[in-house]
Amino acid sequence: MTAIDLSSPVAVVGAGTMGQGIAQVALTAGHPVRLHDAAPGRAASAAAAIGGRLDRLVAKGRLGAAERDAALARLEPVDALADLAGSGLVVEAVLERLDVKQRLLGELEDVVDDDCLLATNTSSLSVTAVAGALRVPGRCVGLHFFNPAPLLPLVEVVSGAATDFSSATRAYELARGWGKTPVACADTPGFIVNRIARPFYAEAFAVHEYQGADPATIDAVLRESGGFRMGAFELTDLIGQDVNEAVTHAVWEAFFRDVKFAPSLAQRRLVASGALGRKTGRGWYAYGDGAEQPEPHTADPAPAPAHVVVEGDLGPAGALLDLIRGAGIPVREEDEDHGTRLILPGGGQLALADGQTSVEFRDVVYFDLALDYRKATRIALAASQDTAPRTLREATGLFQALGKDVSVIGDVPGMIVARTVARLIDLAMDAVARGVATEEDVDTAMRLGVNYPLGPFEWSRRLGRSWAHSLLDDLHLRDPSGRYAPSLALYRHAYASEKREPAS
């Protein structure tokens, strides 16, 4: 059962890709659907396109022919807003401009009944502002579907400042009744996904801008070590550089140009040059017939070290010890209070990325964070000009002996995966502390909305209470712009003890 009876029509205004997707979702859930677009003939064309997609589902055995016929019988393209009278829900998916959406919803308010739910599919505008011009703003809610709507399960249900609790609840239950996974969200710039996901792109771009590594290498490390489905450069090429930058810019402006959300100058140059990604044939990478994709940097083979000494607890990288032993390399463990590191035969050190740089220490190579060191197929190493060549060779040979490809990047603090995950955790904790969403909904949104291997809070539990704060604190010392300053929420989380005795 849904919060709106299946006999009640659902109207979708805006017959573009997203509008068609939402209409298809409502249609296959069993509702009569009315599809409207201001452009003459576009609603009818969109209805035909939906019919074509349903035909393909039948051909693949995912939908019965009788179900398709019944669904198409419930689909009605209409020419005028007045034809939407009697709808139980109207979802607008029109141009992403506040004045356009406000005007449309205001016109709809004069057409539909007072108990009709009005929803906006905006991805970047304030739901509060969209509803601001309405006579009854309490019935307006954000229903942010992800593209393609029929396939992606996540729906952000966004409550504006004036949204009635009952309206948000109806919208939430409706999305769940349609087979989607809804998450509740307060009206904040970027909502959950587009707010918290910014560092995934920003940190990859920053490493590139600092000449730490090329796009192909950064993408490979994010995929093969971090466990992300796609790297930041290939993903933004798929999304469209103009689209991705516009979202980043909108969130940055909405947060009063907070440096934590600052756009990338390298991406700006790409957009200005018209290299928008796959749709233009060139973005970070080239596309089209004959286009060659660059290979990530992969180190030449090096001999495995004769042995390693482990000082302290390797923490998130503890699984490496069993892998090293399994590769036949002798391991000697020593309890030390002054560090967490591996000592290589030549005396050089190998340490997990912690927000510091190799050049600060004598003969240190850093290695990046991995989602699962057992399954990771690539590991990034960072060294400085002062690192002994033998130390880098031994570090490279160690990971190669574990069956990993090795990418050597520049001496970038926090490397690639580690700094990205730390910032995702920080923004997630800040969002929850500000009442944007619950921890569970944040993790759900990031897994389903952008296919992250873990939600930020799942990462935090795996890595330890103080891991992200410690890494960002070290990064902040080296880049005091404020970009890496740990949020108050992350600070509190890091320093809160697991158990406290009550005051006497």
Side-chain angles (χ1 to χ4, degrees), residues 18 92 96 98 101 119-131 140-146 154-161 163 183-199 247-248 250-252 254-255 261 427-432 434-438 441-443 445-446 449-450:
M18 181 57 77
E92 69 78 15
E96 193 75 348
L98 180 60
K101 293 180 184 293
T120 172
N121 184 58
T122 182
S123 61
S124 61
L125 300 175
S126 164
V127 174
T128 301
V130 171
C140 183
V141 64
L143 275 179
H144 181 214
F145 289 79
F146 288 74
L154 185 69
V155 177
E156 291 178 320
V157 181
V158 186
S159 294
T163 301
V183 291
C185 175
D187 187 20
T188 184
F191 309 142
I192 299 174
V193 173
N194 281 331
R195 171 180 178 148
I196 295 173
R198 295 349 291 165
V247 173
T248 298
V251 172
W252 176 58
F255 277 111
F261 300 96
L427 289 192
M429 290 199 174
D430 182 65
V432 170
R434 296 176 185 273
V436 172
T438 65
D441 276 358
V442 166
D443 277 354
M446 303 313 291
V450 277

Side-chain angles (χ1 to χ4, degrees), residues 217 220 224 295-301 378 400 404-408:
T217 299
E224 299 172 38
E295 293 293 326
H297 171 271
T298 302
D300 292 333
R378 182 178 298 271
Q400 288 174 340
K404 319 296 183 187
D405 288 329
V406 173
S407 292
V408 179

Side-chain angles (χ1 to χ4, degrees), residues 327-344:
I329 300 172
V331 176
R332 186 173 79 247
E333 295 186 57
E334 296 183 356
D335 292 330
E336 294 287 342
D337 294 332
H338 59 269
T340 299
R341 57 194 178 177
L342 295 168
I343 308 300
L344 299 167

Side-chain angles (χ1 to χ4, degrees), residues 77-134:
V78 299
D79 294 328
L81 285 181
D83 296 326
L84 305 182
S87 298
L89 165 71
V90 181
V91 184
E92 69 78 15
V94 298
L95 188 65
E96 193 75 348
R97 272 180 42 187
L98 180 60
D99 60 331
V100 172
K101 293 180 184 293
Q102 285 181 327
R103 183 169 61 252
L104 170 63
L105 291 181
E107 293 172 355
L108 285 169
E109 211 173 21
D110 294 331
V111 171
V112 298
D113 298 333
D114 285 348
D115 62 349
C116 176
L117 196 63
L118 298 179
T120 172
N121 184 58
T122 182
S123 61
S124 61
L125 300 175
S126 164
V127 174
T128 301
V130 171
L134 293 178

Side-chain angles (χ1 to χ4, degrees), residues 446-466:
M446 303 313 291
R447 286 196 314 270
L448 299 184
V450 277
N451 290 312
Y452 287 178
L454 295 175
F457 291 94
E458 292 172 313
W459 272 110
S460 181
R461 287 190 290 273
R462 176 178 291 198
L463 297 170
R465 295 182 69 88
S466 62

Side-chain angles (χ1 to χ4, degrees), residues 75-333:
L75 178 60
E76 180 186 5
V78 299
D79 294 328
L81 285 181
D83 296 326
L84 305 182
S87 298
L89 165 71
V90 181
V91 184
E92 69 78 15
V94 298
L95 188 65
E96 193 75 348
R97 272 180 42 187
L98 180 60
D99 60 331
V100 172
K101 293 180 184 293
Q102 285 181 327
R103 183 169 61 252
L104 170 63
L105 291 181
E107 293 172 355
L108 285 169
E109 211 173 21
D110 294 331
V111 171
V112 298
D113 298 333
D114 285 348
D115 62 349
C116 176
L117 196 63
L118 298 179
T120 172
N121 184 58
T122 182
S123 61
S124 61
L125 300 175
S126 164
V127 174
T128 301
V130 171
L134 293 178
R135 175 173 47 81
V136 186
R139 62 168 164 175
C140 183
V141 64
L143 275 179
H144 181 214
F145 289 79
F146 288 74
N147 195 29
L151 297 180
L152 295 186
L154 185 69
V155 177
E156 291 178 320
V157 181
V158 186
S159 294
T163 301
D164 293 334
F165 178 78
S166 61
S167 297
T169 301
R170 290 174 69 202
Y172 186 97
E173 293 301 327
L174 179 71
R176 185 161 63 178
W178 287 357
K180 296 300 182 181
T181 302
V183 291
C185 175
D187 187 20
T188 184
F191 309 142
I192 299 174
V193 173
N194 281 331
R195 171 180 178 148
I196 295 173
R198 295 349 291 165
F200 179 74
Y201 314 106
E203 294 313 308
F205 297 162
V207 172
H208 175 54
E209 288 173 346
Y210 278 111
Q211 303 295 299
D214 60 277
T217 299
I218 295 169
D219 278 352
V221 172
L222 286 168
R223 289 193 313 268
E224 299 172 38
S225 183
F228 294 94
R229 185 168 297 183
M230 298 181 73
F233 297 91
E234 58 186 336
L235 180 55
T236 52
D237 267 359
L238 178 64
I239 294 169
Q241 297 302 330
D242 53 339
V243 174
N244 182 260
E245 194 213 22
V247 173
T248 298
H249 196 274
V251 172
W252 176 58
E253 289 283 4
F255 277 111
F256 307 105
R257 301 195 171 188
D258 186 334
V259 68
K260 290 192 175 188
F261 300 96
S264 161
L265 288 174
Q267 188 181 39
R268 175 89 291 270
R269 289 194 294 270
L270 210 62
V271 173
S273 72
L276 307 182
R278 288 180 178 271
K279 61 187 176 183
T280 60
R282 174 168 291 278
W284 295 109
Y285 303 113
Y287 301 93
D289 295 339
E292 294 185 8
Q293 295 304 312
E295 293 293 326
H297 171 271
T298 302
D300 292 333
H307 66 271
V308 295
V309 177
V310 182
E311 293 186 348
D313 179 5
L314 290 183
L320 286 176
L321 296 185
D322 287 341
L323 294 178
I324 295 171
R325 292 189 181 98
I329 300 172
V331 176
R332 186 173 79 247
E333 295 186 57

